Amino acid sequence: MSSDLARLLFGPDRHRVHGPWRALAADPSMHRRPTDPTSDQIDASYRRLQRLNTLADPAALAADPRALAALHEWTAVVDGGLTVLAGIHYNLFLGTLLDHDPSPKRPLDEFLRMERTGTFLCTELGHGNDAAALETVADYDRTDRSFTLHSPGPSAHKFMPNTGPAGGPKSAVVAARLRVEGRDHGVFLFLAPLTDEDGGPLPGIAVHPLPQRPGSPVDHCVTSFDRVRLPYEALLTGAHGRLADDGTLTSALGSRRKRLLRAIGRVTTGKLCMSASAVGGARAALTTAVRYAGHREVTGSRPDRRVPVWEHRTHHGPLLEGLATVYAMTALHRAAVEHWADHDRADPAAAAAAERRVAVAKGWTTWRARDLIIEARERCGAQGLLPVNGITAYAADIEGTITAEGDNLALWAKAGAELLLESDPLDPAARAVPGGRLDDPAVRQGLLRAVVRLRLVRARTRLREAPARDGLRRWNAAAPDALAAVTARAEQEAGDALLAWAGDARDDDARAALEDLHRLFTLRRIEAYGALLLGAGELTAEQAAALPDLQERSIGRLAGQAPALVEAFDLPEAFHEARPITGRSYQEAFAGQA
C-alpha cells in the first residue's frame, strides 16, 4: 500500500524529480544542527548550498519549476536556512537572469559555479506587497551609458535580503525605478555586485544585519545604495522593456505595472516553492507525531496495562484529520505545479488562470501547514518543544512561507477580486443536488462547489449594495465573502485532486485509504459550512445529522492505516535517526544525555 501511495504522492517521474533531493536529505551532514551557535548554522547552510550546486545542472534546475519545487520540499525537512538560500539563488536570482535577454557582457559562469552567490533585492522598508511603489532609483546617463543606483531615503532601503558576509562574495538582482533625464519608466531589474571576496560590502553599499528571527537562521540584512555606478548591461531587458543607447525605452507592454509583473515573474515559481516547503514540513511534523504516538505508552484501563497513546480516539483523531488534510494539500500542490509548468505562456488568459491557481495553492497550503504543525507539536507534548525533535523549527519556518513571495492575505484579496469578476463561478449543471448520499464523493465535491458559489453570490450582493462612488467601501463590503470564496475554492480543488489520486490507485488498500482520507477531509469542511449550506437549502437536515457518524467511521478505518500513510512520505532513515522521538528507543536517547 505504501509504495502505491508514494507513487501518487510524488508523481510518475518521482525518481528524476525528487530522487536527488531525497538523497540530499538522507545525508546527515545536510541536516541543520539547532544547538550550534547561530553564526555557525548560517555558515553551514551556505556550505550545504555549495554542496547542492554540485548535484544538478544549475541552469537546468533554475528553468524547471517541478525540480525547484521538489528541491524545496526536501530541504525544508532538514534545513530551513538552506531552503531560503536555494530558493533565492536558483529561482529569484539565477532564474530571473535566465528569463531576461542574455548579454555577452553579463556572463553567468561565476553564478552557475557559485563562485558568487546570488540574492534578490526587491522589497523595501517602506514597500512590501506594493512593489510598484518602490523608491530605489536607477538614473540613466546617456553620455557614458551607465546607471546610478541610489536609495533616496530610509523607506527605500532594501529589507531582509541575505546580504551578510556569510557565504562569500555576492551579487544581487535589484529592483529600482528606471529614470531617464528625470522621466520615470517604472520598476526594472538590475544586476549589481554587492560584496567583495571577503564578504564585505563594495563602495557605496551599506549592509546592516537585522535582529535574528525565530526559526532556521539566515543572514537577513537591510541594504542601501549611495550613488553606485552600474554599466549599461546591468539593466535586465526583455519584451517588457529595452533601453536604447539614447535613452529611448521600447516595450511590448503598455503599463508600468504589467512591465513590473513581467520582470518579477519568478515570484510565481517562488510561490510554488513556498507551497512545497509547507507540504514537506507538515508531512515531516505529522510523521514525527504519528510515530511517537505509536510507542509513547500510557496507563490503560487497568493499572497493570499500558497502551500506546495512539489508542485513544482523542489523540489519533486530530492526527488523522491532519493526515487527510496534508494528503489533500500535497495533491493540490502537485496539481498547481503541473498547471504552471504546462500552461500556454503565449495565452494571457491561460497564464492568469495558472498564476491564480498557484497563488491560491500557496496561501492555502502554508496556512494549513501552520495548523497541522501546531497540532503535531501538541500531540508530542513536552518532547515536541525540544529543537532536536524538529517540530519547533517547522513551526517557526512556516511563518516565513506565509509571508514570502507575496503575503497570503494580499494574494487572497487579489484572487477574491478576480473571482468576483467571473461571469458565473460554476455551471448550474455542476451544482449539488440536495439530499444526495454523503458517502458519494461527487455529492461531497458538489457541496464544496456550492460553498464557493454561495460565498460569491453574497459578495456580489454586498458589492452592489455599497455606495457606488466609494471603491474602498464597496470592496470592504464584499471582501469577507470574496476571501472566504477563495478558501472554499482551494478546498474544493484540493478535494478534486485527492479524489483523482484515489481513482488512479493501483493497490486496493491504497485506493480505500485515499477514499477515506477524501471522505474525512470533505466531511470536515462540509460540517464547518453547515449553517451556510443548510440556510441555502444545499444541505438537508438529514444529511447534516449524518455528518458525525460518517466522519467517525472514516477515522475508525484509518486508525490502523496511519503507519502506512506516513511511511508513504518516504522520509529517509537519517531523518528518523536525527529525531529521537520517532524511534522506540527515544527514552534511552535522552536518558543517555542526563
Side-chain angles (χ1 to χ4, degrees):
M1 177 172 111
S2 292
S3 61
D4 198 31
L5 290 173
R7 176 183 65 84
L8 294 163
L9 279 161
F10 298 106
D13 207 6
R14 168 187 175 188
H15 295 294
R16 182 188 70 83
V17 176
H18 290 270
W21 317 124
R22 184 192 181 278
L24 201 73
D27 182 348
S29 70
M30 298 301 292
H31 292 224
R32 173 178 169 243
R33 297 174 54 126
T35 57
D36 285 355
T38 297
S39 60
D40 290 353
Q41 292 186 54
I42 294 172
D43 288 340
S45 292
Y46 276 103
R47 288 195 298 272
R48 293 177 189 124
L49 182 65
Q50 291 280 347
R51 163 80 184 285
L52 188 157
N53 201 56
T54 66
L55 300 179
D57 176 345
L61 172 60
D64 186 347
R66 295 180 180 91
L68 279 170
L71 164 65
H72 284 70
E73 199 168 325
W74 289 99
T75 56
V77 172
V78 296
D79 183 359
L82 170 62
T83 308
V84 172
L85 302 179
I88 293 171
H89 178 82
Y90 291 108
N91 180 50
L92 294 177
F93 177 78
L94 189 55
T96 295
L97 293 177
L98 292 168
D99 288 349
H100 285 75
D101 292 337
S103 169
K105 294 184 178 181
R106 195 176 62 233
L108 303 182
D109 295 354
E110 60 183 349
F111 308 126
L112 295 172
R113 294 192 296 265
M114 208 171 278
E115 293 167 357
R116 295 187 71 86
T117 303
T119 185
F120 191 78
L121 279 60
C122 186
T123 56
E124 298 173 349
L125 279 171
H127 306 282
N129 291 303
D130 61 334
L134 294 176
E135 297 178 47
T136 301
V137 295
D139 288 303
Y140 180 63
D141 184 345
R142 69 178 70 186
T143 60
D144 63 358
R145 299 171 68 248
S146 69
F147 300 94
T148 300
L149 187 64
H150 184 64
S151 307
S155 59
H157 293 188
K158 297 299 183 181
F159 180 62
M160 283 197 78
N162 56 313
T163 50
K170 294 175 183 173
S171 291
V173 168
V174 183
R177 312 194 74 81
L178 171 61
R179 298 194 307 197
V180 180
E181 294 185 343
R183 183 180 178 185
D184 186 348
H185 289 289
V187 177
F188 281 76
L189 301 180
F190 298 81
L191 177 64
L194 294 180
T195 60
D196 58 25
E197 296 300 317
D198 298 320
L202 294 171
I205 299 174
V207 176
H208 301 287
L210 282 166
Q212 186 57 46
R213 60 171 177 77
S216 305
V218 175
D219 56 326
H220 292 300
C221 300
V222 171
T223 305
S224 60
F225 303 92
D226 184 8
R227 297 173 179 82
V228 174
R229 301 285 282 186
L230 297 176
Y232 179 77
E233 58 272 12
L235 173 64
L236 303 188
T237 59
H240 65 288
R242 295 185 175 96
L243 191 70
D245 290 359
D246 66 359
T248 302
L249 181 73
T250 57
S251 174
L253 302 175
S255 77
R256 294 178 184 178
R257 182 176 180 276
K258 288 182 179 179
R259 291 200 290 262
L260 168 63
L261 293 177
R262 179 71 64 84
I264 63 171
R266 274 290 167 153
V267 169
T268 300
T269 301
K271 292 180 177 68
L272 287 175
C273 294
M274 295 304 99
S275 177
S277 299
V279 297
R283 291 198 307 257
L286 285 168
T287 297
T288 301
V290 169
R291 285 175 63 107
Y292 182 52
H295 49 249
R296 170 66 171 178
E297 293 185 343
V298 294
T299 302
S301 56
R302 298 194 310 268
D304 61 342
R305 181 169 180 258
R306 294 183 65 77
V307 297
V309 70
W310 180 263
E311 296 297 321
H312 287 269
R313 165 64 180 80
T314 52
H315 195 95
H316 67 243
L319 290 176
L320 288 170
E321 291 172 20
L323 286 174
T325 301
V326 85
Y327 266 81
M329 287 163 52
T330 306
L332 178 64
H333 168 69
R334 294 278 180 263
V337 170
E338 292 305 308
H339 192 174
W340 180 249
D342 293 338
H343 80 274
D344 183 358
R345 283 158 175 76
D347 182 347
E355 184 175 350
R356 185 172 72 195
R357 189 171 193 183
V358 168
V360 170
K362 184 263 186 182
W364 188 72
T365 55
T366 55
W367 268 329
R368 295 292 75 76
R370 174 204 271 162
D371 297 339
L372 299 185
I373 292 166
I374 290 172
E375 184 66 49
R377 205 294 304 158
E378 288 189 23
R379 298 286 65 75
C380 292
Q383 288 281 4
L385 296 171
L386 299 180
V388 70
N389 287 319
I391 300 179
T392 54
Y394 303 139
D397 292 344
I398 195 65
E399 299 299 330
T401 69
I402 289 170
T403 298
E405 316 294 13
D407 183 85
N408 280 1
L409 190 59
L411 298 180
W412 240 232
K414 182 175 183 290
E418 291 172 352
L419 287 180
L420 282 176
L421 298 177
E422 289 187 348
S423 57
D424 187 352
L426 288 171
D427 182 344
R431 295 174 183 174
V433 178
R437 296 188 60 222
L438 290 179
D439 256 339
D440 183 347
V443 171
R444 299 194 301 273
Q445 286 299 129
L447 287 169
L448 294 184
R449 285 192 293 271
V451 174
V452 180
R453 175 172 53 82
L454 292 169
R455 290 294 195 187
L456 288 176
V457 167
R458 283 169 50 168
R460 289 172 180 144
T461 299
R462 291 175 176 174
L463 189 70
R464 287 193 300 269
E465 292 174 348
R469 289 186 173 85
D470 191 332
L472 180 59
R473 286 184 66 184
R474 294 185 76 211
W475 169 245
N476 284 342
D481 280 299
L483 270 63
V486 179
T487 300
R489 173 65 66 86
E491 293 164 345
Q492 173 234 310
E493 291 186 348
D496 284 337
L498 183 56
L499 188 59
W501 279 2
D504 290 341
R506 299 169 184 167
D507 178 89
D508 291 342
D509 291 336
R511 182 180 303 107
L514 288 167
E515 288 171 350
D516 268 317
L517 290 168
H518 180 270
R519 186 180 293 108
L520 181 56
F521 171 72
T522 52
L523 289 173
R524 289 291 290 162
R525 304 320 309 140
I526 292 166
E527 183 177 58
Y529 296 121
L532 176 67
L533 292 166
L534 280 166
E538 299 282 353
L539 186 72
T540 67
E542 183 180 3
Q543 286 176 315
L547 283 168
D549 285 345
L550 289 171
Q551 292 176 66
E552 287 303 316
R553 288 174 200 162
S554 288
I555 288 173
R557 287 190 293 267
L558 288 168
Q561 304 288 350
L565 292 172
V566 298
E567 182 183 348
F569 296 157
D570 202 26
L571 291 165
E573 190 57 35
F575 169 86
H576 301 300
E577 290 173 353
R579 290 153 180 79
I581 60 170
T582 64
R584 293 187 176 278
S585 60
Y586 74 96
Q587 294 183 16
E588 288 81 356
F590 287 105
Q593 296 177 15

